[in-house]
Amino acid sequence: MANSDPDKLISKADKLTKLSFTRWSADWKSATVLYEQAAIAYRLRKDYEKAKEAFEKASKGQEMISSPWDAAKHMESAGALAKEIGRWNEVIDLYRKASELYIECGRSQPASDALAKGACALEDVAPDDAVKLYNNACEILEEDGKEQMTFDLYRAATAIYVKLEKYTDAASVLLRWALAANKCNAVHSQCKAYLSAVIVYLYANDFQQASKCYNDCSQIETFLNSDQSRCATKLLSAYEDGDAEEIKRIGQSSTISNLDHVIIRLARKLPTGDLKDIKIESSREEEEPLDENDLT
């Protein structure tokens, strides 16, 4: 069969799945074998369009004979081929379908991996769609109590948002990462994610949000007593003092150097805005009288 014409294999398989006066039931088992052989033959010929279609048919065949695992594998192959020919919308659909089939098998890890593969394929051409897939991949794992497996996914999503200069979104992903780390007792990763979020806000020249983020995170004792918290405190104090040299010195510290590369690059470019504005704003806040009618 390896030397057979894949077009003829597809034609024969299609006939086996269609009902007629002489065939009252579809023979999906035999057809699926032919679709698989055709897909491999097309791929060897680098006829990726036809190979993709053949893998999709093979996937459907595996579904019809109640084998969702093999159906998912074929759908992933179709997704990879869609990437090769630049069918980006199909990349999304095919990897999502593969993920759904893995979930049908009760396998959260490969279901998440399938979405991550789709996301990776889309990072440069459709970054917003890639982030959605990474987020969905995280959700699948978290729903199955596998938070420790999400870290690389959150890292990838953060990098995309930073590249897109969507810093608020990047910080939100980092805070979700910290929450996931907390649930699986990964204290060090949790503290690093919190410090990273503060740095992202500072890079975006949003000192107020960076301060709020730090204060919120400091409600968690493990962070409050960490090296990452002390580093964040020094950074924010240097900003309030308008001390650019101190900010740069902290950016070279070992605590910063142990963060992810994307965050290290941001930290070492600080400060990005006019520190005088921060000092003026801080002075105003100190001078504001207490409103006795608002004690909430």
Side-chain angles (χ1 to χ4, degrees):
M1 278 293 188
N3 297 321
S4 296
D5 182 344
D7 289 336
K8 291 180 180 178
L9 293 173
I10 291 290
S11 178
K12 184 176 180 180
D14 286 344
K15 288 177 182 177
L16 290 172
T17 63
K18 291 185 174 72
L19 303 183
S20 67
F21 290 114
T22 57
R23 182 179 294 107
W24 290 12
S25 63
D27 184 358
W28 279 102
K29 187 173 183 180
S30 298
T32 299
V33 172
L34 297 174
Y35 286 137
E36 289 169 344
Q37 292 173 348
I40 293 168
Y42 282 132
R43 188 166 59 186
L44 287 172
R45 293 183 178 188
K46 299 190 184 301
D47 190 341
Y48 296 139
E49 176 68 41
K50 287 186 176 180
K52 177 187 70 67
E53 292 174 0
F55 273 118
E56 287 184 76
K57 289 184 174 185
S59 178
K60 181 181 178 181
Q62 291 291 356
E63 276 194 272
M64 297 300 289
I65 59 176
S66 302
S67 182
W69 176 267
D70 290 318
K73 286 289 185 184
H74 290 328
M75 199 60 74
E76 280 196 87
S77 295
L81 290 163
K83 175 193 172 185
E84 290 293 329
I85 56 179
R87 299 284 183 82
W88 305 115
N89 286 335
E90 290 187 38
V91 168
I92 298 170
D93 293 339
L94 293 168
Y95 277 112
R96 280 198 181 280
K97 178 61 176 174
S99 179
E100 291 167 5
L101 288 164
Y102 283 126
I103 289 174
E104 190 178 324
C105 299
R107 301 290 296 276
S108 62
Q109 184 65 61
S112 175
D113 289 345
L115 294 182
K117 289 174 186 175
C120 185
L122 294 166
E123 281 190 14
D124 293 331
V125 294
D128 289 324
D129 289 320
V131 168
K132 289 177 185 176
L133 289 176
Y134 278 130
N135 284 331
N136 293 155
C138 289
E139 290 166 2
I140 288 171
L141 292 171
E142 288 167 351
E143 287 173 5
D144 200 28
K146 295 180 178 178
E147 284 84 4
Q148 74 277 8
M149 306 300 292
T150 64
F151 293 2
D152 285 341
L153 303 173
Y154 280 125
R155 181 178 291 110
T158 299
I160 292 174
Y161 275 136
V162 168
K163 187 176 181 180
L164 294 174
E165 300 183 359
K166 293 184 175 182
Y167 300 115
T168 299
D169 290 327
S172 295
V173 169
L174 287 163
L175 294 174
R176 280 183 60 197
W177 183 355
L179 181 61
N182 179 59
K183 287 183 178 178
C184 61
N185 298 315
V187 175
H188 191 58
S189 294
Q190 178 185 9
C191 294
K192 286 169 63 177
Y194 282 145
L195 172 58
S196 297
V198 171
I199 289 169
V200 167
Y201 281 126
L202 290 175
Y203 185 82
N205 202 30
D206 191 343
F207 176 79
Q208 300 304 319
Q209 193 59 45
S211 296
K212 182 180 183 302
C213 178
Y214 172 74
N215 290 334
D216 290 344
C217 297
S218 295
Q219 303 301 311
I220 299 170
E221 189 174 352
T222 51
F223 175 67
L224 186 61
N225 298 323
S226 68
D227 291 339
Q228 289 77 19
S229 175
R230 286 185 281 275
C231 181
T233 301
K234 290 177 182 177
L235 259 180
L236 294 170
S237 296
Y239 265 83
E240 288 178 332
D241 295 339
D243 190 341
E245 290 305 312
E246 176 66 3
I247 293 168
K248 290 176 182 177
R249 188 191 68 76
I250 296 168
Q252 297 293 327
S253 67
S254 59
T255 304
I256 297 289
S257 297
N258 285 323
L259 300 177
D260 286 325
H261 294 302
V262 170
I263 305 301
I264 293 172
R265 284 197 291 271
L266 299 185
R268 290 182 176 167
K269 292 178 183 177
L270 297 176
T272 54
D274 192 343
L275 295 176
K276 292 179 182 178
D277 294 339
I278 293 169
K279 289 186 69 176
I280 292 170
E281 189 64 34
S282 297
S283 299
R284 285 176 181 169
E285 288 182 2
E286 290 173 5
E287 292 171 4
E288 282 183 4
L290 179 65
D291 185 353
E292 293 181 359
N293 294 321
D294 184 13
L295 298 178
T296 56

